[in-house]
Amino acid sequence: MVQAKPLTDKTVSKSNQIIQFNHPVKYRTSEWYTGHGEIVASGDNRSFEVSASYNLKATVKLVNEILNIDNPTLAEIYSSRGRCVAIVDLTVDELYGEAIRRYFEYHEIPLELLPCRAWESDKTPQTVNNLLAFLGKDGCDVSRNEPVLVIGGGVLSDVAGLACALQHRRTPYIMIGTTVVAAIDAGPSPRTCTNGSQFKNSMGVYHPPVLTLVDRTFFRTLDTGHIRNGMAEIIKMAVTDDPVLFELMEEYGTRLLETHFATLDGDEDLQEIADEVIYRALFSYMKHEGTNMFETYQDRPHAYGHTWSPRFEPAAKLMHGHAVSIGMAFGASLATEMGWLSPEDRDRIIALCSSIGLSVFHPIIEDMDIMLEGQKNMRRKRGEGGLWAPLPTGIGECDFAQEVSSGLLQQAVNNHKTLCVSLPSGGEGKEMYLSDLGLA
């Protein structure tokens, strides 16, 4: 039997020995993943220690009109593989299924496609099991090096990504996000998941797509409520990381909402703005997410608005973007209470969210039991080292609160409520509940 040859085999002392192996490229399981490791033996034949690293490459590209038969992007990926196995959101299949099938038929690539309903209520282990049946031996029998094509929104990216992670323990996938949330946040994210009974995204693994293709032309068929929902994830990166993005959203946010990111009656200038906003949001997000792919550190600006909301979002049955915007607005008030953020910048954050119809207050945050339970859950999720709540210190900057006492939390909620009741909407947003968009 041929053995991998040791790269090094050296004695660093009389009692310790380090061995590393150079595994030839021809033995790689997948073209997207590599790894390295070493074993340190104590020399007394009683113990040894193994260290290992896992490397991946994940690419994100803005490509418009991906389903145009003259666009070679998907054909170049799947032609040499002999087929394409695809999981497609049921609504996307109803709107674009004919175009998807026509594209692969034109390029003479066999297509095995599973439509999958992906509402928030479908974000369950059962949905993942259904997808595994499609990918497994009783279905398409996907190869460990065969990139599954996933086309849909944020819920589908979460459950299909988790199914791919479980199939062969790591099957690659390519993500085409058809909603704003999927395009700039959930799509390229390594965090695949399903919901628990009382806490969002409580079960999952880290498994990013090997390629994320962002095509804003899909936004033209979205309900305006879904556009608004996704814009919360853009605002979170603007507040915590990119002041230029924040100013772009202040100036153009309403027009981007109305024109579905310049896909409906958008002029050429607005199309350029739309692409810049999407790119900036993606780059800011992946700058932090991609360099901390497995959440080994909790200095994560992209968790702004996501500290308390995973607990109160399912309790109030809120749209995700509205729950995040409530979390962001409250976080801005809390940061002001702590002396981290000026009242002027707090008001700009709240005004930006309100200007596009996102919620900035909901009575659910007055329930201290839910808020404190949310903090308890988040400490466990973040490793018990602290709450590490991202809070703005200025437009485009943030820091992380290791703890928030119950007294401070209560005071910040009270002051935030007082601030929001003076707003014309009272802090409520438009189409803020799952039921408003038929997702309950």
Side-chain angles (χ1 to χ4, degrees):
M1 183 173 65
V2 178
Q3 299 282 345
K5 294 182 179 180
L7 179 64
T8 61
D9 183 350
K10 58 184 179 180
T11 301
V12 294
S13 70
K14 290 184 177 180
S15 59
N16 289 336
Q17 184 182 50
I18 300 176
I19 299 174
Q20 300 173 331
F21 286 94
N22 183 12
H23 297 277
V25 172
K26 67 180 181 179
Y27 295 124
R28 283 176 65 179
T29 305
S30 173
E31 65 196 77
W32 289 282
Y33 312 120
T34 60
H36 175 74
E38 67 178 28
I39 184 168
V40 180
S42 63
D44 61 0
N45 292 336
R46 301 290 293 176
S47 67
F48 55 86
E49 182 178 272
V50 178
S51 299
S53 63
Y54 156 59
N55 301 304
L56 62 91
K57 286 189 177 181
T59 303
V60 181
K61 292 182 179 180
L62 272 64
V63 183
N64 288 334
E65 302 291 352
I66 194 74
L67 297 179
N68 187 312
I69 59 174
D70 295 325
N71 189 321
T73 305
L74 293 175
E76 289 175 351
I77 295 168
Y78 288 103
S79 289
S80 62
R81 300 180 184 278
R83 69 169 179 174
C84 173
V85 173
I87 300 171
V88 179
D89 182 282
L90 181 61
T91 302
V92 173
D93 187 50
E94 292 170 355
L95 293 169
Y96 297 98
E98 183 179 343
I100 294 170
R101 292 170 176 81
R102 182 172 61 247
Y103 180 93
F104 285 97
E105 182 179 354
Y106 176 83
H107 290 282
E108 299 181 339
I109 302 170
L111 175 66
E112 299 189 51
L113 186 152
L114 175 70
C116 174
R117 199 186 79 164
W119 296 3
E120 189 66 28
S121 56
D122 300 313
K123 199 171 175 180
T124 64
Q126 184 57 53
T127 299
V128 176
N129 286 335
N130 294 341
L131 297 178
L132 284 169
F134 171 68
L135 299 175
K137 290 291 184 183
D138 294 330
C140 297
D141 195 14
V142 167
S143 165
R144 198 172 185 177
N145 190 37
E146 183 176 6
V148 176
L149 179 62
V150 179
I151 308 177
V155 170
L156 189 68
S157 73
D158 287 338
V159 293
L162 179 53
C164 288
L166 296 173
Q167 181 66 21
H168 297 304
R169 299 187 180 89
R170 187 187 301 119
T171 296
Y173 66 105
I174 293 169
M175 183 69 210
I176 300 178
T178 58
T179 66
V180 181
V181 170
I184 57 91
D185 187 271
S189 172
R191 289 171 287 113
T192 66
C193 53
T194 69
N195 291 336
S197 60
Q198 298 183 30
F199 198 73
K200 274 182 64 70
N201 305 337
S202 60
M203 298 174 283
V205 302
Y206 301 103
H207 185 51
V210 294
L211 174 63
T212 302
L213 299 170
V214 179
D215 181 355
R216 63 176 170 82
T217 60
F218 284 107
F219 299 171
R220 68 167 67 99
T221 53
L222 289 176
D223 186 284
T224 301
H226 284 294
I227 300 289
R228 181 184 295 110
N229 182 61
M231 292 175 87
E233 305 289 3
I234 296 175
I235 292 173
K236 79 175 182 185
M237 298 315 308
V239 172
T240 60
D241 188 76
D242 189 343
V244 174
L245 179 59
F246 191 93
E247 291 171 0
L248 286 170
M249 289 297 290
E250 282 185 314
E251 184 172 356
Y252 298 102
T254 302
R255 288 182 63 198
L256 291 174
L257 175 67
E258 293 170 347
T259 64
H260 292 210
F261 281 78
T263 61
L264 301 175
D265 302 322
D267 58 30
E268 188 172 327
D269 289 341
L270 190 62
Q271 291 174 20
E272 292 181 3
I273 293 295
D275 284 338
E276 182 177 3
V277 165
I278 291 169
Y279 180 81
R280 281 185 171 275
L282 274 166
F283 188 81
S284 287
Y285 177 72
M286 291 305 292
K287 178 171 63 176
H288 299 282
E289 183 82 288
T291 57
N292 185 24
M293 195 70 86
F294 305 103
E295 290 187 35
T296 45
Y297 301 93
Q298 290 301 329
D299 50 338
R300 302 171 59 246
H302 43 293
Y304 177 48
H306 293 71
T307 296
W308 296 273
S309 64
R311 181 62 185 91
F312 68 69
E313 177 181 333
K317 299 187 184 304
L318 289 161
M319 291 288 293
H320 179 66
H322 286 273
V324 169
S325 62
I326 292 166
M328 290 191 295
F330 167 68
S333 289
L334 174 60
T336 303
E337 194 76 23
M338 296 169 61
W340 287 17
L341 184 70
S342 71
E344 293 77 18
D345 284 343
R346 174 203 61 196
D347 293 347
R348 285 180 71 189
I349 293 168
I350 292 174
L352 176 55
C353 292
S354 298
S355 69
I356 57 176
L358 284 168
S359 307
V360 294
F361 178 79
H362 191 283
I364 192 73
I365 71 171
E366 296 180 89
D367 187 328
M368 281 296 108
D369 289 338
I370 281 182
M371 295 292 278
L372 290 171
E373 186 180 350
Q375 290 193 171
K376 179 182 177 181
N377 289 341
M378 195 54 67
R379 284 192 198 94
R380 289 176 174 170
K381 183 178 181 181
R382 292 175 180 169
E384 300 280 6
L387 186 62
W388 300 125
L391 297 173
T393 56
I395 301 301
E397 300 175 345
C398 74
D399 205 342
F400 305 89
Q402 185 171 8
E403 294 298 342
V404 177
S405 69
S406 59
L408 176 59
L409 187 69
Q410 181 70 72
Q411 185 63 40
V413 168
N414 293 342
N415 291 342
H416 184 62
K417 178 181 179 180
T418 299
L419 177 66
C420 291
V421 295
S422 65
L423 299 174
S425 65
E428 290 190 358
K430 299 177 181 178
E431 298 175 303
M432 58 193 292
Y433 296 103
L434 292 171
S435 57
D436 294 333
L437 292 173
L439 299 177

